[in-house]
Structure formats: C-alpha cells, structure tokens
Amino acid sequence: MTVLVSVWGAAPGVGKSTLCAGLPRALAGAGLRVDHFRAEEILSRPQFAAVAAEFGATGAVGLETPVAATERFVASVLAGGDDVVIADALMPFVPTLLAMGHGDEAIDAFMADLTHVLAPVRPVVVFLDGDAGAALFRAAEREGPGWLGWYVVKLAAYEVSPPVSDLASAVAYLRRERAVTLGAVRRHGWGLVVVERTDGLTPGEVLGAVGQGIRPWLPALPQLLRPP
C-alpha cells in the first residue's frame, strides 16, 4: 500500500526543505519506490492544474477545488504504484485555508472531506517543530537581505488571524497556524510524527527521527534511517 508523507514545519527556516531533499533519497536507498512532490513544482503537476488556474484567475480557491484535485492526485498515486509519496507543504492545505480567511468550522468540514479522499494512501504528516522566530531569522540568513520584510508583507496581505503587521505578529500567526494544523490532523486521525526542537538537531538527526517516526506506517522499512 502507498503511504503519503506530507512534510510541514513551524516556520520557514525550520529545516523542511533539507528534510525533503534527504528523505526521498534515504527511502529510495532503502529499496522503496518513492515519488517526491516538491513545493515549487506542485501547482505545475497536472493533478493540481485546476487549483493553479482558479487561483490565478480569482486570487482565491473554492474548497471543492483542492478536494477534487486531491482525488486526481490519489488516482495518479495509486496508478503509479509507488510505496511512498513525499509531499512538501501540500496536504492538508490548512495554511492556505487560513490565508483565505476560513475559520475553524469550515476547516474541519474540509478536513473531513479530504480525509475520506486520502484514505487509500494513508496520510502521515511529518511536522518539524521549533521556535518560529528563530527559524525565520535562519531563513532570512539563507535567502538574503529583504527576505524577512517580504515575508511579513506577504502574510500581512492575507486574511489571517491574528493579523500580521510586523515580525512579532508574524510569529504569533505562525503559532496559530501550527496549532490549527496539528489539531486538525489529530482530530481526523491522520498519522502524525512531530520532531521537536529541530533547531537543536543536525539534518542527519532529523532524518533519523523521521525515519523512526514513520516506521509504523512502513513496516518493511529497513534499519537504515537511524534515530538521533
């Protein structure tokens, strides 16, 4: 059976991109068939073409559109026969829903539909946790001058709550985004692996922790991803 591993994190700079680069290689090296949906290419995949088109035309997306796209995604995954699909910042779409101003009730109803659609691929969320403020500064060091200001302005343009106007309010919003995402995943019975305090771990230690965490859903995974 195919397992969908969806990777999220507490904030940019927490190590999600590094994990998403290493995890597919490690799983493939362990003998598993792996597909990787990279964040920068997701909307270019044919399964999500309708999402990209609707957002480009209106600046928003109806809740039925990502559900229908996910149905196409699941069909393509099952047809491909991979053991594991790694999705970088894709399902369960909670940050996107928050950015469009949807509240807890709408998100919960959406998650119920999404959970039903994703049942054949057994979704597991890997969440890299850590201090959001410190992670943003690491991301700014990586991306260069002006990135942090751009990111705050980007969040400020969305209909998020609490509203964002500066770095402190951006961190407060990211904490809410974290809470809503983890709460929705837990309520709807998805697999969940939380790697805590990732800022104190090396990339290899994070990879090892994730490998141990996803083992219940991949019982055939060899002992090649060792814990920290």
Side-chain angles (χ1 to χ4, degrees):
M1 292 182 65
T2 302
V3 175
L4 168 66
V5 177
S6 187
V7 180
W8 286 92
V14 79
K16 181 175 60 62
S17 297
T18 301
L19 174 64
C20 285
L23 184 59
R25 289 197 300 266
L27 293 176
L32 299 177
R33 295 165 297 175
V34 183
D35 191 10
H36 181 198
F37 276 61
R38 295 169 177 81
E40 64 272 15
E41 70 178 26
I42 284 170
L43 291 183
S44 67
R45 293 262 189 153
Q47 301 94 326
F48 294 95
V51 177
E54 185 173 332
F55 184 80
T58 67
V61 178
L63 296 185
E64 69 283 353
T65 303
V67 171
T70 302
E71 290 178 337
R72 293 189 290 273
F73 165 81
V74 170
S76 70
V77 166
L78 296 177
D82 291 309
D83 298 306
V84 187
V85 176
I86 309 295
D88 184 353
L90 184 57
M91 288 85 173
F93 303 106
V94 169
T96 300
L97 301 181
L98 290 172
M100 292 192 299
H102 292 294
D104 293 346
E105 186 174 338
I107 290 173
D108 201 58
F110 173 85
M111 280 292 294
D113 292 339
L114 192 67
T115 300
H116 175 73
V117 169
L118 286 174
V121 293
R122 298 185 295 169
V124 179
V125 168
V126 169
F127 194 91
L128 303 186
D129 213 354
D131 181 87
L136 287 178
F137 280 114
R138 285 195 299 274
E141 290 176 356
R142 180 189 66 206
E143 300 295 336
W147 180 86
L148 194 54
W150 168 84
Y151 183 73
V152 170
V153 169
K154 174 187 172 182
L155 288 183
Y158 295 149
E159 301 177 46
V160 297
S161 176
V164 172
S165 59
D166 54 17
L167 179 59
S169 56
V171 170
Y173 164 70
L174 288 170
R175 288 173 180 153
R176 167 167 162 74
E177 184 181 276
R178 171 194 180 277
V180 174
T181 300
L182 293 179
V185 167
R186 287 176 172 130
R187 282 195 305 277
H188 290 274
W190 293 29
L192 178 61
V193 177
V194 178
V195 181
E196 298 181 350
R197 302 180 68 177
T198 54
D199 49 346
L201 302 176
T202 67
E205 288 172 333
V206 172
L207 180 60
V210 170
Q212 289 299 111
I214 64 177
R215 190 171 300 280
W217 293 275
L218 292 168
L221 182 63
Q223 292 285 342
L224 295 181
L225 301 179
R226 302 188 181 281

